[in-house]
Amino acid sequence: MFRTHTCGELGLGDLNREVTLAGWVQTLRKFGSITFIDLRDRYGITQLVLDEAQNEAQANIPLGREFVIQATGTVSERSNKNLIIPTGEIEIRVKQITILNKSVTPPFTIQDETDGGEDLRMKFRFLDLRRNPIKRNIELRYAVNRAARNYLHLNQFMDIETPFLIKSTPEGARDFVVPSRMNPGQFYALPQSPQTFKQLLMVSGYDRYYQVVKCFRDEDLRADRQPEFTQIDCEMSFIEQEDILQMFEGMIRYIFKEVKGIDYTDTIEKMTWEDAMWDYGNDKPDIRFGMKISNLKSVFKRKGSAEADGFLINNAGFQVFDNAETVLAIAVPAAAAWSRKQFDELTDWVKRPQIGMQGLVNIRYNEDGSFKSSIDKFYSEDRLKAITGFVNAQKGDAILILSGKEEKTRKAISDLRLELGERMGLRKNDEFRLLWVIDFPLFEYSEEDNRWVARHHPFTAPKPDQIATMINNDPLIADATRYLRHPYADIKANAYDMVLNGNEIGGGSIRIYQRELQEKMFDALGMTREEANHKFGFLLGAFEYGAPPHGGIAFGFDRLCAILGGSESIRDFIAFPKNNSGRDVMLDAPATIDDKQLKELNISLLTSR
Amino acid sequence: MFRTHTCGELGLGDLNREVTLAGWVQTLRKFGSITFIDLRDRYGITQLVLDEAQNEAQANIPLGREFVIQATGTVSERSNKNLIIPTGEIEIRVKQITILNKSVTPPFTIQDETDGGEDLRMKFRFLDLRRNPIKRNIELRYAVNRAARNYLHLNQFMDIETPFLIKSTPEGARDFVVPSRMNPGQFYALPQSPQTFKQLLMVSGYDRYYQVVKCFRDEDLRADRQPEFTQIDCEMSFIEQEDILQMFEGMIRYIFKEVKGIDYTDTIEKMTWEDAMWDYGNDKPDIRFGMKISNLKSVFKRKGSAEADGFLINNAGFQVFDNAETVLAIAVPAAAAWSRKQFDELTDWVKRPQIGMQGLVNIRYNEDGSFKSSIDKFYSEDRLKAITGFVNAQKGDAILILSGKEEKTRKAISDLRLELGERMGLRKNDEFRLLWVIDFPLFEYSEEDNRWVARHHPFTAPKPDQIATMINNDPLIADATRYLRHPYADIKANAYDMVLNGNEIGGGSIRIYQRELQEKMFDALGMTREEANHKFGFLLGAFEYGAPPHGGIAFGFDRLCAILGGSESIRDFIAFPKNNSGRDVMLDAPATIDDKQLKELNISLLTSR
């Protein structure tokens, strides 16, 4: 050992002990003939003092920031105590210093607030990782990992490793593939998830499975997506949906307690997908704050009936609303008193191309009970009052209204709501609100192919009472314009997402475990029987040998850590992340490979380099 | 929940409770109007009894082996108790049975001893996994995983995930590569180990790292090698070799205790590589039994001197020994009384092509003190006695002698020793003997390229007192015939292997952490500076910014589990293994991929399918 103690553990109880520490020079301050060094390691910072004699002995050995040194000396009480850090009451009076390794000047400062830009920090990630904010993230990630494992272990789950070199079965996302040298012309695929394997493990009787596991998706990367990402992947047998929800609520509560010290004892609300879309405009509502959407007019049917037929706003001579497919409103608390400038800013905000609205209507419900609106000339005070009442606005609130095509407008008002929440400080990093979204549609309609696609994945079971609907109807969509009338359009899935602060942190479903139903699902997705057998024959086969009822869930581990760490960026919670082009700029990967390697793999490049 | 209890937990304490179980039909026995079912789940087996009425109700619902059923009934005492299983004192008097899923007849019996061959069991791995022996292996694997993690956690190690899509830097083993769609013509590589990343984490100050992590090597597969395998990968900073040995002895002791209930309190012997080769003929000796090799003649120098010059055997007129480069002997306890047939069998065994010896000489040191040998006519009783004394044989022992070229003969006698240990029952599955092998040579000589190759890997440090030898000498081998005289031939590495029962279960080293020394190492391996910078520039760069002294170890997790499970086959300890051609026969992977996929990846096949 190069040390007797770490830089985070010595205190007044250790006075006069002779100790040896090793670590990095964080700072170096000379006061006349005395030098102070802040020595840093993973565990903390300890102050070293070199007196006049030591300073002289050291004179010809230059020290600098980030040098790795070993220092032996005596623990002494500091005259000038620093009570912010645990070791701030003592210092080490140094008798000997050994330089273990030198450092050139780092390209950015190793401080909480660094002067290094994103690109530079990524290139020198090994230095960025030294900074406290990043180190805390990596430590938090480990704590979440450990807590999840402990909870799952306590609940009889077993970590079982599934293979990484598997078969390419692209559905939706693209696979990364790996050419096989020993099987020329053939390729492995890297798993997008261990889905089929965990289902096979249920067929094998393993009952409760988990894995903290890397998954791979070759997607065009949006901001904050990684080509490789980590899942907490779980599956259970002999359970129903409610059992899964309880088990994994328990896991998240356990993680909150262990990692954040938070007793999350609130009941976790269950919201149907339909309600989420209707009230929040998206399927992962941030329920840390209200401002639910009021549907003044909508083509979206709630529980099958057109509740919002527009009677409050139509036929007032305001063509914009009359012609709109959808008119949606939110009441913003205490916003009636906002300045003209504030409303104009918001109007500009919704007109940005990312949102793409034509304008933003407002109705101010003043404290004195009067109404003022940007559409005063079309709507009488009575009509404004009726709208205000419908939207449940209180005196002092302002109502913001967007109109246009259904999907775009709903997304826009959802974005506007979140933006307002942000501006009004209602989305606090240290407040956590969990939510289950349930009853997702089993299918979505693919206009491009005029067929169904699985909303979750092809292994998700329909609600038990809708299995017959699925089995007894032909999935073929005869009339594309009337696809919503097809019986499949109304089938709900036994699927669920866990949402934390407006982010989907986990999702799963009860699975199909009957061959007939699984084949019907593949039919519905437009797969021929041959295709289905080629891709998933092993699973269909397995279902013939006594597959138990089962279901599971997978948590996005990177995202979960980021949110628990109070950040929206997953990259800061991954030790060695890739950039938005899928590159590791530190390694400079991907890179070209030798022609010899290509030849061994029986492949060539289509375009030359 | 489909059950109130599992099939492994009910006993006499639960009498008269109404319970619901779910699981698989293991056996079905009809005695007249009564049916007995052994119901199986992950936790055990419980007997169900269907009385006459139930049997009648069930009459039209055929049940069979491996059907998944749910049964409700009352816990009753068995008249005919089975004390071998925990639930053997009770049975469930069934009131209702529901078939959850049917099963066709499995292709082999789901029994401890199955009638299924290897190929069939691999194709239907999900059924093979139901069998107890395999299930116990998977459970043991999880227990080892859990114990290792707990020990490392208790010792301040952090699990930090390293990337899977990295850069191809083939040294030795071949990389699996992954074409990048977003960076046409470029490839990621899958890691052969997280080696450079864990070193970077040390540079980042993380101090104690671990990971239970998949690694990948595209090698021609020998028996019992897998293209993807799992390592327990660890690294520490500010330590010396002895610190690592102690820390990881501790881990293995902890695993023994937690997983096997064994208090492994014996001191773990440290054996130099030289002694291992000299005394056991290989670098991973099985020390569960003796029969060390005696070197009658050898070109192998022990501690630099030719100890075995052949004086005991040369010049007796026996040309075979006179002309041999090496003559090696082992004394086999109580083998003097073996029959002629037994010696002949062993002679045939060493003559097999896998061993390739010309013959096997024996000297029997009889209980009456007389000597009898297959080379009587060349050697007088006195000379036989001298050899016997040198070999340390006791009365009643037989000495077996092999001769020939050094490397081949040493390997042959090592194999013979292990074979004898096997035949004599000295290699017990339930006896565990650990050993450290240390002081490996840093370099091996590559005849093909007339240059040095790293015995462990290019990041391994030489012994501290040999750093100067490495720095101050030119690695170039001017005269290939005299490579042993090159100063590099004698450099020992700060490297260590942990050996369990004749298997290397872990290996590691103290690492180079100085740029100059690392560059010298790359020079020695024949890498140009450009190559070194292209492949490992990030690491060389990192060494300039304050790299601490560090070292680590990696355990072969699959192998470790197999040995702890008393097996030599790692495949039985992997849920979904690949066969010797690297194929997953269950998935039928690798497989061809679509032309569209190839095109997107900017590659084409050299030979058509």
Side-chain angles (χ1 to χ4, degrees), chain B residues 502-575:
Chain B
N503 295 278
E504 183 208 321
I505 56 167
S509 63
I510 300 298
R511 323 299 184 187
I512 296 170
Y513 63 102
Q514 309 93 332
R515 179 170 185 140
E516 188 192 6
L517 188 57
Q518 187 66 65
E519 284 181 332
K520 193 79 187 186
M521 171 59 86
F522 291 143
D523 289 350
L525 306 180
M527 248 188 253
T528 64
R529 287 287 157 109
E530 289 74 43
E531 256 184 283
N533 268 314
H534 175 69
K535 289 181 175 173
F536 299 108
F538 60 97
L539 187 68
L540 292 169
F543 285 173
E544 296 200 87
Y545 291 95
H550 63 285
I553 194 165
F555 289 86
F557 183 52
D558 307 300
R559 172 82 46 211
L560 175 61
C561 292
I563 299 170
L564 290 174
S567 167
E568 298 274 313
S569 160
I570 63 172
R571 215 176 286 170
D572 288 342
F573 291 78
I574 297 171

Side-chain angles (χ1 to χ4, degrees), chain A residues 331-401:
Chain A
V332 186
W338 283 2
S339 66
R340 166 95 190 232
K341 186 161 164 266
Q342 281 174 291
F343 287 109
D344 286 350
E345 263 177 26
L346 280 180
T347 305
D348 288 345
W349 191 87
V350 300
K351 282 177 159 177
R352 294 178 319 143
Q354 299 96 311
I355 307 293
M357 291 286 102
Q358 300 292 326
L360 178 68
V361 166
N362 72 63
I363 303 174
R364 280 150 282 157
Y365 184 12
N366 297 316
E367 286 291 354
D368 63 6
S370 67
F371 295 91
K372 184 76 194 144
S373 170
S374 55
I375 46 171
D376 274 351
K377 62 175 156 177
F378 298 105
Y379 292 88
S380 65
E381 179 136 346
D382 275 356
R383 291 198 74 163
L384 292 178
K385 190 171 181 176
I387 294 170
T388 306
F390 183 82
V391 175
N392 261 320
Q394 309 299 311
K395 278 181 188 167
D397 292 356
I399 296 163
L400 299 178
I401 308 177

Side-chain angles (χ1 to χ4, degrees), chain A residues 1-3 22 24 42-43 66 68 100-107 124 126-127 129-130 135 139 141-142 145-146 149-150 153 156-159 161-165 167-168 174 176-179 181 183 186-188 197 200 203-208 210 214 216 218-220 228 230 238-240 243 513 538 542 544-548 557 575 578 581-583 586-588 590-591 597-598 600-607, chain B residues 1-3 22 24 42-43 66 68 100-107 124 126-127 129-130 135 139 141-142 145-146 149-150 153 156-159 161-165 167-168 174 176-179 181-183 186-188 197 200 203-208 210 214 216 218-220 228 230 238-240 243 513 538 542 544-548 557 578 581-583 586-588 590-591 597-598 600-607:
Chain A
M1 283 283 180
F2 283 77
R3 62 189 174 198
W24 287 261
R42 171 178 151 198
Y43 308 92
E66 301 303 319
V68 184
L100 298 174
N101 217 342
K102 287 186 273 193
S103 175
V104 297
T105 306
F124 292 90
F126 52 89
L127 295 180
L129 284 165
R130 284 185 188 168
K135 189 174 73 118
E139 285 171 343
R141 185 179 176 106
Y142 177 49
N145 184 336
R146 179 97 191 137
R149 288 178 182 278
N150 285 348
H153 181 77
Q156 280 80 51
F157 285 79
M158 274 171 74
D159 181 348
E161 292 163 71
T162 54
F164 279 71
L165 297 173
K167 187 168 173 171
S168 186
R174 261 185 225 94
F176 280 107
V177 298
V178 181
R181 183 180 53 85
N183 302 275
Q186 301 192 341
F187 294 74
Y188 300 102
F197 294 99
L200 288 178
V203 175
S204 299
Y206 284 75
D207 210 35
R208 295 184 173 196
Y210 79 95
K214 273 282 172 76
F216 305 85
D218 185 11
E219 290 299 328
D220 296 328
E228 52 175 309
T230 306
F238 299 118
I239 44 74
E240 289 159 305
D243 302 309
Y513 63 102
F538 60 97
E544 296 200 85
Y545 291 95
F557 183 53
K578 293 188 175 51
S581 319
R583 292 199 72 81
M586 181 188 71
L587 296 182
D588 195 21
Q597 275 176 288
L598 289 173
E600 277 186 338
L601 296 170
N602 190 45
I603 57 175
S604 64
L605 302 181
L606 282 181
T607 57
Chain B
M1 283 284 180
F2 284 76
R3 62 189 175 199
W24 286 262
R42 171 180 151 197
Y43 308 92
E66 301 304 317
V68 185
L100 298 174
N101 217 341
K102 287 186 274 193
S103 174
V104 297
T105 306
F124 293 89
F126 53 88
L127 295 179
L129 283 165
R130 286 186 188 166
K135 187 173 74 115
E139 285 171 342
R141 186 179 176 106
Y142 176 50
N145 184 336
R146 179 96 192 139
R149 287 178 183 278
N150 285 348
H153 181 77
Q156 282 80 53
F157 285 78
M158 274 171 76
D159 180 349
E161 293 163 71
T162 53
F164 278 72
L165 297 173
K167 187 169 175 170
S168 186
R174 262 186 224 93
F176 280 108
V177 298
V178 182
R181 183 180 54 86
M182 291 176 73
N183 301 275
Q186 301 192 340
F187 293 75
Y188 301 101
F197 294 99
L200 288 178
V203 175
S204 299
Y206 285 74
D207 210 294
R208 294 185 173 195
Y210 79 95
K214 273 281 172 76
F216 305 85
D218 186 11
E219 290 300 330
D220 296 327
E228 52 175 308
T230 306
F238 299 120
I239 45 73
E240 289 158 307
D243 302 308
Y513 63 102
F538 60 97
E544 296 200 87
Y545 291 95
F557 183 52
K578 294 188 174 53
S581 318
R583 292 200 71 82
M586 181 187 72
L587 298 182
D588 194 21
Q597 275 176 288
L598 290 173
E600 278 186 335
L601 296 170
N602 191 45
I603 57 174
S604 63
L605 302 181
L606 282 181
T607 57

Side-chain angles (χ1 to χ4, degrees), chain B residues 470-486:
Chain B
M470 202 169 140
I471 293 280
N472 299 329
N473 284 285
D474 185 338
L476 206 73
I477 300 162
D479 179 356
T481 61
R482 289 156 61 96
Y483 77 90
L484 275 171
R485 305 262 183 107
H486 191 286

Side-chain angles (χ1 to χ4, degrees), chain A residues 236-358:
Chain A
M236 299 173 79
S237 292
F238 299 118
I239 44 74
E240 289 159 305
Q241 176 168 307
E242 186 57 27
D243 302 309
I244 302 247
L245 302 191
Q246 280 180 27
M247 179 61 74
F248 291 97
E249 280 182 32
M251 185 177 92
I252 295 296
R253 289 182 205 275
Y254 188 91
I255 290 171
F256 269 118
K257 180 69 183 168
E258 292 289 310
V259 176
K260 305 286 293 182
I262 294 172
D263 280 305
Y264 196 104
T265 52
D266 298 1
T267 303
I268 297 174
E269 187 187 342
K270 294 186 188 77
M271 189 184 291
T272 64
W273 174 82
E274 199 165 33
D275 284 345
M277 293 305 290
W278 195 261
D279 293 338
Y280 296 92
N282 70 66
D283 59 3
K284 45 182 185 187
D286 186 344
I287 57 167
R288 279 175 297 183
F289 64 104
M291 295 200 270
K292 283 193 197 178
I293 299 166
S294 291
N295 293 262
L296 295 167
K297 187 170 163 186
S298 176
V299 293
F300 184 48
K301 309 277 183 292
R302 188 172 209 165
K303 298 200 170 54
S305 72
E307 191 176 308
D309 62 3
F311 71 99
L312 282 172
I313 44 156
N314 281 347
N315 306 317
F318 188 47
Q319 298 292 322
V320 173
F321 284 178
D322 282 347
N323 298 336
E325 197 172 77
T326 293
V327 181
L328 303 173
I330 50 177
V332 186
W338 283 2
S339 66
R340 166 95 190 232
K341 186 161 164 266
Q342 281 174 291
F343 287 109
D344 286 350
E345 263 177 26
L346 280 180
T347 305
D348 288 345
W349 191 87
V350 300
K351 282 177 159 177
R352 294 178 319 143
Q354 299 96 311
I355 307 293
M357 291 286 102
Q358 300 292 326

